[in-house]
Amino acid sequence: MNNSGKILAATAIAFLAGSATHAQERILIGSSSSSSSHYGYYVAVSQLINDGVEGVSATVVETGATMDNMRRLQRNQIDMGLVTTNVAYDAWAGQGDFEGQPYKMLTLWVYSSAPQNVVVRQDAGLETIADLAGQRINPGITGSATEKTTEAVFAHLGVEPDWVRGSTGDVVDSIKDDRAVGYVKSGAGERLDASSLDIATLTPVSLISLDDEQAQSVTDAFPNLAVIEIGENAAGDGYPAYRTWAFGTATVAHPEMSDDMAYAITKAAVEDETVQSAAFANLKGSQLPDMTMALATSPLHPGAIRYFEEVGVEIPERLRP
C-alpha cells in the first residue's frame, strides 16, 4: 500500500472510531396524557438525561399511563416510565391483572405521592361519595391505575356512578360544558393536577372526602393503597381538608436496562435541584430518596441501589431484588 492509501485507511479508521465514540443509545420513556403534569415531569426527566447522561438520548412518549406503560415495557416498546406503586406491587407479586404472570420490572425512584382526588363541579351540590351514585363521573383515563383503583374502590363502597370514558382533555371539556359532573384525577403531590386547575379557572370545583367509616374500610380492603389526609389549603387556596386514597408514582425500568445506565439516570434525577421542580412544584431531586424508600413497593434496580448506597441511603430489605 502506498503512502496515500495508508493515509486514507488511517483516516477511515479514525472516522469510524470517532463515530462509535459519539454513538447515542436511544431510550423511550412512557409517561401519561400530554395534558397531565406527569407528562411534563417526564419531559423534565428526559432533559436531565439528555444533558447529563453521556451516550444516552431520551424521548418521551405520550401513553395511557400506568397499565399502558406496563404493557409497553413487556412488549419492549419503552425502556422506562411511569408506573404507580400499587400496580408495580401487583406486577412483581403476580397478582391482580398479573395473576400467575409476574413481570419483574425494576424501580429507579418514586417522585410523588398520588392522592386520588374526586373532583366535582361545585354547582352540582354533591358532598359525599354516596351522592355520586348514578352521576356522570370519569374514573380516570382509559388504562390508567387511577381508572382501575377508582372502579375497585367505588365497587367496594357500594356506589355505582354512570362512568364516562375518555381522555383527560375530553373529560375536562365535558365537565366545563356540564356534560359530566366530575372525575377522579391524581393530584400533583398534595396540589391539584393541572387539568383540575384548568377546570377550576372558570368552573368552581369541590373535592369529595371519604368519611371515617369509608376510610377504614378502604384501608382494610386495599393493602396496596394508603388513605391520606390532605390539609386545609394544601390542594390549593380555599380548599378545605379532606381524606382520600392514594399511591406512589414511580419511575421504573425495563429489567434489561444496564446497571450503569440505571445508575447514571438515577444520579441525574436525584442530584437535580431545579429542572424537576419546574415541572412538579416544590419537588427537588434531594427528596427522591426519602419518597422512594417510604413508598416503593417493588425492588429497586441494582444500578439505582448502587447510587443510593453511595450517597448513604439505607435500602430496606423489601426493595432489594
PDB file of all heavy atoms in Angstrom, residues 120 124-126 128-139 154 159-164 178-182:
ATOM      1  N   VAL A 120     -65.445  17.440  41.593  1.00  0.00           N
ATOM      2  CA  VAL A 120     -66.778  17.623  41.001  1.00  0.00           C
ATOM      3  C   VAL A 120     -67.095  19.110  40.864  1.00  0.00           C
ATOM      4  O   VAL A 120     -66.550  19.949  41.580  1.00  0.00           O
ATOM      5  CB  VAL A 120     -67.877  16.943  41.856  1.00  0.00           C
ATOM      6  CG1 VAL A 120     -67.645  15.448  41.935  1.00  0.00           C
ATOM      7  CG2 VAL A 120     -67.960  17.555  43.248  1.00  0.00           C
ATOM      8  N   ALA A 124     -72.963  21.284  41.274  1.00  0.00           N
ATOM      9  CA  ALA A 124     -73.716  20.027  41.250  1.00  0.00           C
ATOM     10  C   ALA A 124     -74.281  19.690  42.625  1.00  0.00           C
ATOM     11  O   ALA A 124     -75.177  18.836  42.746  1.00  0.00           O
ATOM     12  CB  ALA A 124     -72.828  18.879  40.760  1.00  0.00           C
ATOM     13  N   GLY A 125     -73.766  20.331  43.688  1.00  0.00           N
ATOM     14  CA  GLY A 125     -74.290  20.134  45.029  1.00  0.00           C
ATOM     15  C   GLY A 125     -73.999  18.762  45.612  1.00  0.00           C
ATOM     16  O   GLY A 125     -74.734  18.294  46.494  1.00  0.00           O
ATOM     17  N   LEU A 126     -72.925  18.116  45.178  1.00  0.00           N
ATOM     18  CA  LEU A 126     -72.554  16.779  45.657  1.00  0.00           C
ATOM     19  C   LEU A 126     -71.574  16.915  46.815  1.00  0.00           C
ATOM     20  O   LEU A 126     -70.580  17.636  46.708  1.00  0.00           O
ATOM     21  CB  LEU A 126     -71.939  15.963  44.521  1.00  0.00           C
ATOM     22  CG  LEU A 126     -72.808  15.852  43.259  1.00  0.00           C
ATOM     23  CD1 LEU A 126     -72.019  15.244  42.113  1.00  0.00           C
ATOM     24  CD2 LEU A 126     -74.056  15.038  43.542  1.00  0.00           C
ATOM     25  N   THR A 128     -70.876  13.940  49.267  1.00  0.00           N
ATOM     26  CA  THR A 128     -70.334  12.679  49.770  1.00  0.00           C
ATOM     27  C   THR A 128     -70.130  11.689  48.630  1.00  0.00           C
ATOM     28  O   THR A 128     -70.681  11.863  47.534  1.00  0.00           O
ATOM     29  CB  THR A 128     -71.284  12.039  50.807  1.00  0.00           C
ATOM     30  OG1 THR A 128     -72.473  11.584  50.122  1.00  0.00           O
ATOM     31  CG2 THR A 128     -71.669  13.029  51.895  1.00  0.00           C
ATOM     32  N   ILE A 129     -69.369  10.641  48.904  1.00  0.00           N
ATOM     33  CA  ILE A 129     -69.172   9.579  47.915  1.00  0.00           C
ATOM     34  C   ILE A 129     -70.520   8.970  47.536  1.00  0.00           C
ATOM     35  O   ILE A 129     -70.780   8.688  46.353  1.00  0.00           O
ATOM     36  CB  ILE A 129     -68.230   8.483  48.477  1.00  0.00           C
ATOM     37  CG1 ILE A 129     -66.809   9.047  48.694  1.00  0.00           C
ATOM     38  CG2 ILE A 129     -68.192   7.272  47.534  1.00  0.00           C
ATOM     39  CD1 ILE A 129     -66.042   9.349  47.433  1.00  0.00           C
ATOM     40  N   ALA A 130     -71.390   8.775  48.507  1.00  0.00           N
ATOM     41  CA  ALA A 130     -72.707   8.190  48.229  1.00  0.00           C
ATOM     42  C   ALA A 130     -73.509   9.048  47.250  1.00  0.00           C
ATOM     43  O   ALA A 130     -74.307   8.520  46.451  1.00  0.00           O
ATOM     44  CB  ALA A 130     -73.481   8.003  49.529  1.00  0.00           C
ATOM     45  N   ASP A 131     -73.304  10.370  47.282  1.00  0.00           N
ATOM     46  CA  ASP A 131     -74.026  11.270  46.379  1.00  0.00           C
ATOM     47  C   ASP A 131     -73.673  11.032  44.914  1.00  0.00           C
ATOM     48  O   ASP A 131     -74.379  11.495  44.014  1.00  0.00           O
ATOM     49  CB  ASP A 131     -73.718  12.734  46.721  1.00  0.00           C
ATOM     50  CG  ASP A 131     -74.320  13.180  48.039  1.00  0.00           C
ATOM     51  OD1 ASP A 131     -75.233  12.488  48.530  1.00  0.00           O
ATOM     52  OD2 ASP A 131     -73.846  14.197  48.572  1.00  0.00           O
ATOM     53  N   LEU A 132     -72.574  10.332  44.662  1.00  0.00           N
ATOM     54  CA  LEU A 132     -72.111  10.144  43.288  1.00  0.00           C
ATOM     55  C   LEU A 132     -72.799   8.982  42.584  1.00  0.00           C
ATOM     56  O   LEU A 132     -72.570   8.753  41.396  1.00  0.00           O
ATOM     57  CB  LEU A 132     -70.594   9.929  43.274  1.00  0.00           C
ATOM     58  CG  LEU A 132     -69.767  11.086  43.851  1.00  0.00           C
ATOM     59  CD1 LEU A 132     -68.283  10.755  43.807  1.00  0.00           C
ATOM     60  CD2 LEU A 132     -70.046  12.372  43.103  1.00  0.00           C
ATOM     61  N   ALA A 133     -73.641   8.233  43.285  1.00  0.00           N
ATOM     62  CA  ALA A 133     -74.375   7.138  42.653  1.00  0.00           C
ATOM     63  C   ALA A 133     -75.223   7.675  41.502  1.00  0.00           C
ATOM     64  O   ALA A 133     -75.991   8.619  41.667  1.00  0.00           O
ATOM     65  CB  ALA A 133     -75.259   6.437  43.682  1.00  0.00           C
ATOM     66  N   GLY A 134     -75.059   7.068  40.304  1.00  0.00           N
ATOM     67  CA  GLY A 134     -75.823   7.466  39.135  1.00  0.00           C
ATOM     68  C   GLY A 134     -75.343   8.720  38.441  1.00  0.00           C
ATOM     69  O   GLY A 134     -75.853   9.084  37.374  1.00  0.00           O
ATOM     70  N   GLN A 135     -74.332   9.401  39.004  1.00  0.00           N
ATOM     71  CA  GLN A 135     -73.814  10.639  38.413  1.00  0.00           C
ATOM     72  C   GLN A 135     -72.774  10.333  37.330  1.00  0.00           C
ATOM     73  O   GLN A 135     -72.059   9.344  37.399  1.00  0.00           O
ATOM     74  CB  GLN A 135     -73.185  11.517  39.494  1.00  0.00           C
ATOM     75  CG  GLN A 135     -74.139  11.959  40.583  1.00  0.00           C
ATOM     76  CD  GLN A 135     -75.163  12.971  40.095  1.00  0.00           C
ATOM     77  OE1 GLN A 135     -74.929  13.697  39.125  1.00  0.00           O
ATOM     78  NE2 GLN A 135     -76.306  13.015  40.760  1.00  0.00           N
ATOM     79  N   ARG A 136     -72.725  11.231  36.341  1.00  0.00           N
ATOM     80  CA  ARG A 136     -71.761  11.036  35.241  1.00  0.00           C
ATOM     81  C   ARG A 136     -70.367  11.466  35.705  1.00  0.00           C
ATOM     82  O   ARG A 136     -70.086  12.655  35.849  1.00  0.00           O
ATOM     83  CB  ARG A 136     -72.193  11.835  34.001  1.00  0.00           C
ATOM     84  CG  ARG A 136     -73.412  11.218  33.306  1.00  0.00           C
ATOM     85  CD  ARG A 136     -73.894  12.057  32.133  1.00  0.00           C
ATOM     86  NE  ARG A 136     -72.854  12.284  31.133  1.00  0.00           N
ATOM     87  CZ  ARG A 136     -72.462  11.390  30.211  1.00  0.00           C
ATOM     88  NH1 ARG A 136     -73.025  10.191  30.181  1.00  0.00           N
ATOM     89  NH2 ARG A 136     -71.523  11.692  29.336  1.00  0.00           N
ATOM     90  N   ILE A 137     -69.537  10.456  35.966  1.00  0.00           N
ATOM     91  CA  ILE A 137     -68.200  10.671  36.515  1.00  0.00           C
ATOM     92  C   ILE A 137     -67.189   9.896  35.676  1.00  0.00           C
ATOM     93  O   ILE A 137     -67.453   8.762  35.261  1.00  0.00           O
ATOM     94  CB  ILE A 137     -68.113  10.159  37.977  1.00  0.00           C
ATOM     95  CG1 ILE A 137     -69.074  10.926  38.880  1.00  0.00           C
ATOM     96  CG2 ILE A 137     -66.691  10.245  38.515  1.00  0.00           C
ATOM     97  CD1 ILE A 137     -68.638  12.315  39.225  1.00  0.00           C
ATOM     98  N   ASN A 138     -66.022  10.496  35.442  1.00  0.00           N
ATOM     99  CA  ASN A 138     -64.932   9.781  34.774  1.00  0.00           C
ATOM    100  C   ASN A 138     -64.018   9.170  35.831  1.00  0.00           C
ATOM    101  O   ASN A 138     -63.565   9.874  36.730  1.00  0.00           O
ATOM    102  CB  ASN A 138     -64.135  10.740  33.893  1.00  0.00           C
ATOM    103  CG  ASN A 138     -62.849  10.113  33.361  1.00  0.00           C
ATOM    104  OD1 ASN A 138     -61.771  10.441  33.825  1.00  0.00           O
ATOM    105  ND2 ASN A 138     -62.970   9.210  32.409  1.00  0.00           N
ATOM    106  N   PRO A 139     -63.736   7.849  35.758  1.00  0.00           N
ATOM    107  CA  PRO A 139     -62.914   7.207  36.786  1.00  0.00           C
ATOM    108  C   PRO A 139     -61.415   7.365  36.584  1.00  0.00           C
ATOM    109  O   PRO A 139     -60.624   6.902  37.414  1.00  0.00           O
ATOM    110  CB  PRO A 139     -63.304   5.732  36.653  1.00  0.00           C
ATOM    111  CG  PRO A 139     -63.625   5.578  35.201  1.00  0.00           C
ATOM    112  CD  PRO A 139     -64.261   6.879  34.784  1.00  0.00           C
ATOM    113  N   PHE A 154     -64.900   2.288  44.437  1.00  0.00           N
ATOM    114  CA  PHE A 154     -66.329   2.590  44.405  1.00  0.00           C
ATOM    115  C   PHE A 154     -67.162   1.310  44.514  1.00  0.00           C
ATOM    116  O   PHE A 154     -68.192   1.290  45.203  1.00  0.00           O
ATOM    117  CB  PHE A 154     -66.678   3.365  43.135  1.00  0.00           C
ATOM    118  CG  PHE A 154     -66.544   4.857  43.278  1.00  0.00           C
ATOM    119  CD1 PHE A 154     -65.298   5.455  43.281  1.00  0.00           C
ATOM    120  CD2 PHE A 154     -67.660   5.662  43.402  1.00  0.00           C
ATOM    121  CE1 PHE A 154     -65.159   6.829  43.409  1.00  0.00           C
ATOM    122  CE2 PHE A 154     -67.542   7.044  43.536  1.00  0.00           C
ATOM    123  CZ  PHE A 154     -66.288   7.621  43.540  1.00  0.00           C
ATOM    124  N   VAL A 159     -71.034   2.034  45.680  1.00  0.00           N
ATOM    125  CA  VAL A 159     -71.517   3.219  44.970  1.00  0.00           C
ATOM    126  C   VAL A 159     -71.254   3.017  43.486  1.00  0.00           C
ATOM    127  O   VAL A 159     -70.119   2.732  43.079  1.00  0.00           O
ATOM    128  CB  VAL A 159     -70.820   4.503  45.464  1.00  0.00           C
ATOM    129  CG1 VAL A 159     -71.290   5.714  44.670  1.00  0.00           C
ATOM    130  CG2 VAL A 159     -71.075   4.701  46.954  1.00  0.00           C
ATOM    131  N   GLU A 160     -72.290   3.183  42.670  1.00  0.00           N
ATOM    132  CA  GLU A 160     -72.161   2.937  41.225  1.00  0.00           C
ATOM    133  C   GLU A 160     -72.505   4.196  40.428  1.00  0.00           C
ATOM    134  O   GLU A 160     -73.664   4.445  40.114  1.00  0.00           O
ATOM    135  CB  GLU A 160     -73.062   1.783  40.797  1.00  0.00           C
ATOM    136  CG  GLU A 160     -72.861   1.362  39.353  1.00  0.00           C
ATOM    137  CD  GLU A 160     -73.686   0.152  38.964  1.00  0.00           C
ATOM    138  OE1 GLU A 160     -74.347  -0.434  39.849  1.00  0.00           O
ATOM    139  OE2 GLU A 160     -73.669  -0.215  37.767  1.00  0.00           O
ATOM    140  N   PRO A 161     -71.501   4.996  40.060  1.00  0.00           N
ATOM    141  CA  PRO A 161     -71.755   6.151  39.191  1.00  0.00           C
ATOM    142  C   PRO A 161     -72.058   5.700  37.760  1.00  0.00           C
ATOM    143  O   PRO A 161     -71.926   4.518  37.412  1.00  0.00           O
ATOM    144  CB  PRO A 161     -70.434   6.936  39.245  1.00  0.00           C
ATOM    145  CG  PRO A 161     -69.692   6.396  40.430  1.00  0.00           C
ATOM    146  CD  PRO A 161     -70.100   4.955  40.527  1.00  0.00           C
ATOM    147  N   ASP A 162     -72.438   6.637  36.929  1.00  0.00           N
ATOM    148  CA  ASP A 162     -72.554   6.419  35.493  1.00  0.00           C
ATOM    149  C   ASP A 162     -71.203   6.791  34.890  1.00  0.00           C
ATOM    150  O   ASP A 162     -70.929   7.953  34.629  1.00  0.00           O
ATOM    151  CB  ASP A 162     -73.676   7.305  34.932  1.00  0.00           C
ATOM    152  CG  ASP A 162     -73.842   7.157  33.418  1.00  0.00           C
ATOM    153  OD1 ASP A 162     -73.196   6.264  32.821  1.00  0.00           O
ATOM    154  OD2 ASP A 162     -74.610   7.956  32.838  1.00  0.00           O
ATOM    155  N   TRP A 163     -70.333   5.796  34.714  1.00  0.00           N
ATOM    156  CA  TRP A 163     -68.954   6.075  34.305  1.00  0.00           C
ATOM    157  C   TRP A 163     -68.886   6.673  32.903  1.00  0.00           C
ATOM    158  O   TRP A 163     -69.515   6.175  31.969  1.00  0.00           O
ATOM    159  CB  TRP A 163     -68.113   4.804  34.346  1.00  0.00           C
ATOM    160  CG  TRP A 163     -67.912   4.210  35.703  1.00  0.00           C
ATOM    161  CD1 TRP A 163     -68.192   2.924  36.082  1.00  0.00           C
ATOM    162  CD2 TRP A 163     -67.363   4.844  36.878  1.00  0.00           C
ATOM    163  NE1 TRP A 163     -67.869   2.714  37.406  1.00  0.00           N
ATOM    164  CE2 TRP A 163     -67.356   3.881  37.916  1.00  0.00           C
ATOM    165  CE3 TRP A 163     -66.893   6.120  37.143  1.00  0.00           C
ATOM    166  CZ2 TRP A 163     -66.887   4.157  39.195  1.00  0.00           C
ATOM    167  CZ3 TRP A 163     -66.437   6.400  38.421  1.00  0.00           C
ATOM    168  CH2 TRP A 163     -66.429   5.437  39.429  1.00  0.00           C
ATOM    169  N   VAL A 164     -68.108   7.714  32.769  1.00  0.00           N
ATOM    170  CA  VAL A 164     -67.858   8.377  31.494  1.00  0.00           C
ATOM    171  C   VAL A 164     -66.414   8.108  31.100  1.00  0.00           C
ATOM    172  O   VAL A 164     -65.500   8.336  31.896  1.00  0.00           O
ATOM    173  CB  VAL A 164     -68.086   9.902  31.613  1.00  0.00           C
ATOM    174  CG1 VAL A 164     -67.744  10.606  30.302  1.00  0.00           C
ATOM    175  CG2 VAL A 164     -69.516  10.198  32.030  1.00  0.00           C
ATOM    176  N   ASP A 178     -70.666  20.920  31.432  1.00  0.00           N
ATOM    177  CA  ASP A 178     -71.728  20.334  32.262  1.00  0.00           C
ATOM    178  C   ASP A 178     -72.338  19.086  31.625  1.00  0.00           C
ATOM    179  O   ASP A 178     -73.506  18.762  31.871  1.00  0.00           O
ATOM    180  CB  ASP A 178     -72.819  21.373  32.561  1.00  0.00           C
ATOM    181  CG  ASP A 178     -73.601  21.022  33.829  1.00  0.00           C
ATOM    182  OD1 ASP A 178     -73.123  20.170  34.598  1.00  0.00           O
ATOM    183  OD2 ASP A 178     -74.684  21.605  34.030  1.00  0.00           O
ATOM    184  N   ARG A 179     -71.547  18.361  30.833  1.00  0.00           N
ATOM    185  CA  ARG A 179     -71.980  17.061  30.321  1.00  0.00           C
ATOM    186  C   ARG A 179     -71.536  15.940  31.259  1.00  0.00           C
ATOM    187  O   ARG A 179     -71.982  14.802  31.134  1.00  0.00           O
ATOM    188  CB  ARG A 179     -71.411  16.832  28.921  1.00  0.00           C
ATOM    189  CG  ARG A 179     -72.051  17.715  27.859  1.00  0.00           C
ATOM    190  CD  ARG A 179     -71.421  17.540  26.497  1.00  0.00           C
ATOM    191  NE  ARG A 179     -70.105  18.171  26.408  1.00  0.00           N
ATOM    192  CZ  ARG A 179     -68.984  17.546  26.056  1.00  0.00           C
ATOM    193  NH1 ARG A 179     -69.003  16.247  25.820  1.00  0.00           N
ATOM    194  NH2 ARG A 179     -67.848  18.202  25.988  1.00  0.00           N
ATOM    195  N   ALA A 180     -70.644  16.254  32.187  1.00  0.00           N
ATOM    196  CA  ALA A 180     -70.237  15.339  33.254  1.00  0.00           C
ATOM    197  C   ALA A 180     -70.064  16.175  34.512  1.00  0.00           C
ATOM    198  O   ALA A 180     -69.735  17.365  34.432  1.00  0.00           O
ATOM    199  CB  ALA A 180     -68.932  14.631  32.899  1.00  0.00           C
ATOM    200  N   VAL A 181     -70.307  15.555  35.674  1.00  0.00           N
ATOM    201  CA  VAL A 181     -70.220  16.354  36.907  1.00  0.00           C
ATOM    202  C   VAL A 181     -68.821  16.345  37.505  1.00  0.00           C
ATOM    203  O   VAL A 181     -68.503  17.192  38.345  1.00  0.00           O
ATOM    204  CB  VAL A 181     -71.225  15.884  37.979  1.00  0.00           C
ATOM    205  CG1 VAL A 181     -72.648  16.036  37.476  1.00  0.00           C
ATOM    206  CG2 VAL A 181     -70.946  14.457  38.412  1.00  0.00           C
ATOM    207  N   GLY A 182     -67.969  15.396  37.085  1.00  0.00           N
ATOM    208  CA  GLY A 182     -66.636  15.379  37.673  1.00  0.00           C
ATOM    209  C   GLY A 182     -65.810  14.199  37.214  1.00  0.00           C
ATOM    210  O   GLY A 182     -66.201  13.456  36.309  1.00  0.00           O
TER     211      GLY A 182
END
